[in-house]
Coordinates of all heavy atoms in Angstrom, one line a residue:
D39 N 24.4 -5.6 -10.2 CA 24.2 -4.5 -9.3 C 23.5 -5.0 -8.0 O 23.8 -4.7 -6.9 CB 23.4 -3.3 -9.9 CG 24.2 -2.5 -11.0 OD1 25.5 -2.6 -11.0 OD2 23.6 -2.0 -11.9
L40 N 22.5 -5.8 -8.4 CA 21.5 -6.2 -7.2 C 22.3 -7.2 -6.4 O 22.2 -7.2 -5.1 CB 20.2 -6.9 -7.8 CG 19.4 -5.9 -8.7 CD1 18.1 -6.6 -9.0 CD2 19.1 -4.7 -7.8
I41 N 23.2 -8.1 -7.0 CA 24.1 -9.0 -6.2 C 24.9 -8.2 -5.3 O 25.1 -8.6 -4.1 CB 24.6 -10.0 -7.1 CG1 23.6 -10.8 -7.8 CG2 25.7 -10.7 -6.3 CD1 24.2 -11.9 -8.7
K42 N 25.5 -7.2 -5.8 CA 26.3 -6.2 -4.9 C 25.6 -5.7 -3.8 O 26.0 -5.6 -2.6 CB 27.0 -5.2 -5.8 CG 27.9 -4.2 -5.1 CD 28.7 -3.4 -6.0 CE 29.5 -2.3 -5.3 NZ 30.2 -1.3 -6.2
Q43 N 24.3 -5.2 -4.1 CA 23.5 -4.6 -3.1 C 23.1 -5.6 -2.0 O 23.1 -5.3 -0.8 CB 22.2 -4.1 -3.7 CG 21.2 -3.4 -2.8 CD 19.9 -3.4 -3.2 OE1 19.6 -3.4 -4.4 NE2 19.0 -3.6 -2.2
M44 N 22.9 -6.8 -2.4 CA 22.5 -7.9 -1.5 C 23.7 -8.2 -0.6 O 23.5 -8.4 0.7 CB 22.2 -9.3 -2.3 CG 20.9 -9.3 -2.9 SD 20.8 -10.7 -4.0 CE 20.7 -12.1 -2.8
K45 N 24.9 -8.2 -1.1 CA 26.1 -8.4 -0.2 C 26.2 -7.2 0.8 O 26.4 -7.5 2.1 CB 27.3 -8.4 -1.1 CG 28.6 -9.0 -0.5 CD 29.6 -9.1 -1.5 CE 31.0 -9.0 -0.8 NZ 31.5 -7.7 -0.7
L46 N 26.0 -6.0 0.4 CA 26.2 -4.9 1.2 C 25.1 -5.0 2.3 O 25.4 -4.7 3.5 CB 26.0 -3.6 0.4 CG 27.3 -3.3 -0.5 CD1 26.8 -2.2 -1.4 CD2 28.5 -3.0 0.3
I47 N 23.8 -5.2 2.0 CA 22.8 -5.3 3.0 C 23.0 -6.4 4.1 O 22.7 -6.2 5.2 CB 21.4 -5.1 2.4 CG1 20.3 -4.6 3.4 CG2 20.9 -6.4 1.9 CD1 19.0 -4.0 2.9
T48 N 23.5 -7.5 3.5 CA 23.7 -8.6 4.4 C 24.8 -8.2 5.4 O 24.7 -8.4 6.6 CB 24.2 -9.8 3.6 OG1 23.2 -10.1 2.7 CG2 24.4 -11.1 4.5
E49 N 25.8 -7.6 4.9 CA 26.8 -7.1 5.9 C 26.2 -6.2 6.9 O 26.5 -6.3 8.2 CB 27.9 -6.2 5.1 CG 29.2 -7.0 4.7 CD 30.0 -6.2 3.7 OE1 30.0 -4.9 3.8 OE2 30.4 -6.8 2.7
D50 N 25.4 -5.2 6.5 CA 24.7 -4.3 7.5 C 23.8 -5.0 8.4 O 23.8 -4.8 9.6 CB 24.0 -3.2 6.7 CG 24.8 -2.0 6.5 OD1 26.0 -2.2 6.6 OD2 24.2 -1.0 6.1
M51 N 23.1 -6.2 7.9 CA 22.2 -6.9 8.8 C 23.0 -7.5 9.8 O 22.7 -7.5 11.1 CB 21.4 -7.8 7.9 CG 20.4 -7.2 7.1 SD 19.1 -8.4 6.6 CE 19.9 -9.3 5.3
N52 N 24.2 -8.3 9.5 CA 25.0 -9.0 10.4 C 25.6 -7.9 11.4 O 25.5 -8.3 12.6 CB 26.0 -9.8 9.7 CG 25.4 -10.9 8.9 OD1 24.4 -11.4 9.3 ND2 26.0 -11.3 7.9
N53 N 26.1 -6.8 11.0 CA 26.8 -5.9 11.9 C 25.7 -5.4 12.9 O 25.9 -5.1 13.9 CB 27.4 -4.7 11.1 CG 28.7 -5.2 10.4 OD1 29.3 -6.2 10.9 ND2 29.1 -4.4 9.4
G54 N 24.5 -5.1 12.3 CA 23.4 -4.5 13.2 C 22.9 -5.5 14.3 O 22.4 -5.0 15.3
L55 N 23.2 -6.7 14.2 CA 22.8 -7.7 15.2 C 24.0 -8.0 16.1 O 23.7 -8.8 17.1 CB 22.5 -9.1 14.5 CG 21.2 -9.0 13.7 CD1 20.8 -10.3 13.0 CD2 19.8 -8.7 14.6
A56 N 25.1 -7.3 15.9 CA 26.3 -7.7 16.8 C 26.1 -7.2 18.2 O 25.3 -6.4 18.6 CB 27.5 -7.0 16.2
A57 N 26.9 -7.9 19.1 CA 26.8 -7.7 20.5 C 27.5 -6.3 20.8 O 27.1 -5.6 21.7 CB 27.5 -8.8 21.3
D58 N 28.6 -6.1 20.3 CA 29.3 -4.9 20.5 C 29.0 -3.8 19.7 O 28.8 -3.8 18.5 CB 30.9 -5.1 20.4 CG 31.3 -5.3 18.9 OD1 30.8 -6.3 18.4 OD2 32.1 -4.5 18.4
E59 N 29.0 -2.5 20.4 CA 28.5 -1.3 19.8 C 29.3 -0.8 18.6 O 28.8 -0.3 17.6 CB 28.4 -0.2 20.9 CG 27.4 0.9 20.4 CD 27.2 2.0 21.4 OE1 27.8 1.9 22.4 OE2 26.4 2.9 21.0
E60 N 30.6 -1.0 18.8 CA 31.5 -0.6 17.7 C 31.0 -1.2 16.3 O 31.0 -0.6 15.3 CB 32.9 -0.9 18.0 CG 33.9 -0.1 17.3 CD 35.4 -0.6 17.6 OE1 35.6 -1.0 18.8 OE2 36.2 -0.7 16.8
T61 N 30.8 -2.6 16.3 CA 30.4 -3.3 15.2 C 29.0 -2.8 14.7 O 28.8 -2.5 13.5 CB 30.4 -4.8 15.3 OG1 31.6 -5.2 15.8 CG2 30.1 -5.5 14.0
R62 N 28.1 -2.7 15.6 CA 26.7 -2.2 15.3 C 26.8 -0.9 14.5 O 26.0 -0.6 13.7 CB 25.8 -2.1 16.5 CG 25.4 -3.4 17.0 CD 24.1 -3.3 17.9 NE 24.3 -2.4 19.0 CZ 24.7 -2.8 20.3 NH1 25.0 -4.1 20.5 NH2 24.7 -1.9 21.2
L63 N 27.7 0.0 15.0 CA 27.8 1.4 14.4 C 28.2 1.4 13.0 O 28.0 2.3 12.2 CB 28.7 2.3 15.2 CG 28.1 2.8 16.6 CD1 29.0 3.5 17.5 CD2 26.7 3.7 16.3
K64 N 28.8 0.2 12.6 CA 29.2 0.2 11.2 C 28.0 0.0 10.2 O 28.1 0.3 9.1 CB 30.2 -1.1 11.0 CG 31.5 -0.9 11.5 CD 32.3 -2.0 11.1 CE 33.6 -2.2 12.0 NZ 33.9 -3.5 12.0
S65 N 26.9 -0.4 10.8 CA 25.7 -0.7 10.1 C 24.9 0.5 9.8 O 24.7 1.3 10.8 CB 24.9 -1.9 10.7 OG 23.7 -2.0 10.1
S66 N 24.3 0.7 8.6 CA 23.3 1.8 8.4 C 21.9 1.4 9.0 O 21.1 2.3 9.2 CB 23.3 2.3 7.0 OG 22.9 1.2 6.2
I67 N 21.7 0.1 9.2 CA 20.2 -0.2 9.5 C 20.3 -0.8 10.9 O 21.2 -1.4 11.4 CB 19.8 -1.2 8.5 CG1 20.4 -2.5 8.4 CG2 19.4 -0.5 7.1 CD1 19.9 -3.5 7.4

Side-chain angles (χ1 to χ4, degrees):
D39 292 333
L40 298 185
I41 290 174
K42 181 168 170 188
Q43 183 208 324
M44 282 169 69
K45 193 174 152 271
L46 291 168
I47 202 167
T48 305
E49 261 166 39
D50 270 12
M51 287 195 285
N52 290 334
N53 285 339
L55 292 174
D58 65 298
E59 200 179 357
E60 204 185 320
T61 310
R62 284 205 301 272
L63 285 174
K64 286 189 200 149
S65 171
S66 56
I67 58 180

